[in-house]
Every structure is written in structure tokens, then in C-alpha cells.
């Protein structure tokens, strides 16, 4: 039967039935489905402009007791790798092998960024996997609360004039309370 690419275990149960509606003789078997070489991602759900992040890929192989695996990390122009884009490690059968790549987000336009990992076995080039994901980029945020108290003259309150200069170029919420 067709199965997904990711690591999955199915439990198959068979039960016998007679024409007299008698049941019995059940049998159970588990079947583990996996690609011979599989990349799982361990990435943040979103990034912020200016972040320095660690991009992680977890590789599992089940075709050899031990094999060298080479992985390549490819990013778009808004996510700059701070080191090499290629790493090689020894991967044991059915054991997670973590690959880490440092990167910096450099996108003032806050466009989503793409990250791609490509892995290949050192002993058998047919054993390979690749995965690509798009990660949203958000504005840098510093949580800060400030209060300004002042008086005003006139029947109308002009929030733009009362707002401190530093607030005019920021992002966030501005709440006004007017009291007598």
C-alpha cells in the first residue's frame, strides 16, 4: 500500500470470522515505514529580522549499521549562513544525527525565507533525501512599556503631538487615557 514518506508505524490486526458469525484467532503485527535516509526538520516557527539562529536537520538512516551522511543547507538571500553550507557526520542505524547550521536573518522587508536541506549517503548516492520549508519573518520586537503624562489645552486631543518622538518611528500599540 502507498505510505507517507515520514517515519510511521502501523499496527495491522487480522481477526477470523466464520459463516456462523464466530470470531477468533486474531493476529497482530506492526509495520514500520520509513525512507532509507530521512531528514526531519527542527526549525523555529518564525524568524525576526536581525535574529541569529541555528538551523537544525535531524537525519535518520536505516540501510547500514553506520554510514557517513553529507548534508547541505541552502537558504535564500534574506537568510545568510554564518559558516559552511555543507557538513558530514557518521550516522548509526535508526539513530538521530543532528546537523547544525548558524544563520542570520537580514531582511528589513520581512519577506518569508526558504530553507532547504539535501542529504546524501557517503556509501550509496542513491540514498538521499531533501526537504524545503518557508519560514515567516517578523519585525524585530523589544517589549517595552512607557507612560507619558501631560496636560493639554483645547477641546480636542492630538495624539500625534503628545506622542514622544521615539514612538513615532516604532511599531506597536498606543493607548490614550484622558481624564479630568
Amino acid at each position: 500500500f502507498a505510505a507517507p514518506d515520514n517515519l510511521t508505524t502501523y499496527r495491522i490486526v487480522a481477526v477470523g470470522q466464520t459463516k456462523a458469525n464466530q470470531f477468533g484467532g486474531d493476529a497482530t503485527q506492526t509495520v514500520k515505514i520509513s525512507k532509507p535516509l530521512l531528514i526531519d526538520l527542527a526549525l523555529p516557527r518564525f524568524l525576526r529580522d536581525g535574529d541569529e539562529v541555528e538551523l537544525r536537520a535531524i537525519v535518520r538512516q536505516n540501510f547500514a549499521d553506520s554510514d557517513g551522511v553529507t548534508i547541505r543547507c541552502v537558504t535564500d538571500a534574506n537568510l545568510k549562513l554564518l559558516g559552511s553550507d555543507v557538513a558530514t557526520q557518521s550516522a548509526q542505524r535508526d539513530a538521530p544525527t543532528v546537523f547544525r547550521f548558524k544563520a542570520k536573518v537580514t531582511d528589513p522587508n520581512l519577506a518569508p525565507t526558504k530553507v532547504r536541506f539535501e542529504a546524501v549517503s557517503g556509501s550509496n548516492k542513491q540514498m538521499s533525501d531533501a526537504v524545503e520549508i518557508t519560514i515567516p519573518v517578523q519585525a524585530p520586537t523589544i517589549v517595552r512599556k512607557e507612560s507619558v503624562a501631560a496636560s493639554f489645552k483645547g477641546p480636542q486631543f492630538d495624539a500625534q503631538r503628545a506622542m514622544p518622538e521615539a514612538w513615532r518611528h516604532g511599531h506597536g500599540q498606543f493607548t490614550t487615557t484622558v481624564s479630568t
Side-chain angles (χ1 to χ4, degrees):
F1 60 93
D5 285 345
N6 56 346
L7 182 62
T8 307
T9 300
Y10 292 96
R11 188 169 145 241
I12 300 171
V13 178
V15 178
Q17 175 184 359
T18 68
K19 289 182 180 182
N21 291 326
Q22 295 171 323
F23 296 89
D26 66 4
T28 302
Q29 182 69 39
T30 58
V31 177
K32 181 177 166 185
I33 307 283
S34 177
K35 293 169 79 174
L37 181 68
L38 177 72
I39 301 173
D40 279 327
L41 299 179
L43 300 173
R45 291 179 306 146
F46 64 90
L47 301 170
R48 295 195 184 275
D49 183 33
D51 278 355
E52 285 193 18
V53 297
E54 184 176 79
L55 307 173
R56 292 187 314 266
I58 302 165
V59 173
R60 290 179 175 83
Q61 63 88 7
N62 63 13
F63 59 89
D65 289 337
S66 179
D67 191 36
V69 175
T70 300
I71 192 165
R72 183 169 170 242
C73 179
V74 181
T75 61
D76 61 20
N78 300 328
L79 186 61
K80 306 275 188 208
L81 289 174
L82 299 177
S84 176
D85 66 339
V86 176
T88 301
Q89 291 187 53
S90 177
Q92 305 304 311
R93 180 187 303 272
D94 295 324
T97 304
V98 180
F99 290 83
R100 295 174 167 85
F101 298 89
K102 298 268 188 201
K104 181 167 180 143
V105 182
T106 56
D107 183 18
N109 296 325
L110 308 179
T113 188
K114 288 188 180 181
V115 178
R116 180 177 173 84
F117 290 101
E118 302 164 348
V120 65
S121 162
S123 65
N124 182 348
K125 302 299 182 214
Q126 299 294 323
M127 299 298 174
S128 64
D129 192 21
V131 64
E132 181 175 287
I133 190 169
T134 300
I135 304 173
V137 176
Q138 299 177 0
T141 301
I142 298 173
V143 176
R144 183 169 126 185
K145 290 189 176 188
E146 289 184 61
S147 296
V148 175
S151 60
F152 72 95
K153 294 183 169 101
Q156 295 195 348
F157 176 68
D158 182 1
Q160 290 291 330
R161 272 193 9 200
M163 183 186 307
E165 184 62 33
W167 293 10
R168 296 175 199 265
H169 306 290
H171 297 280
Q173 295 179 343
F174 176 90
T175 304
T176 304
T177 303
V178 179
S179 66
T180 58

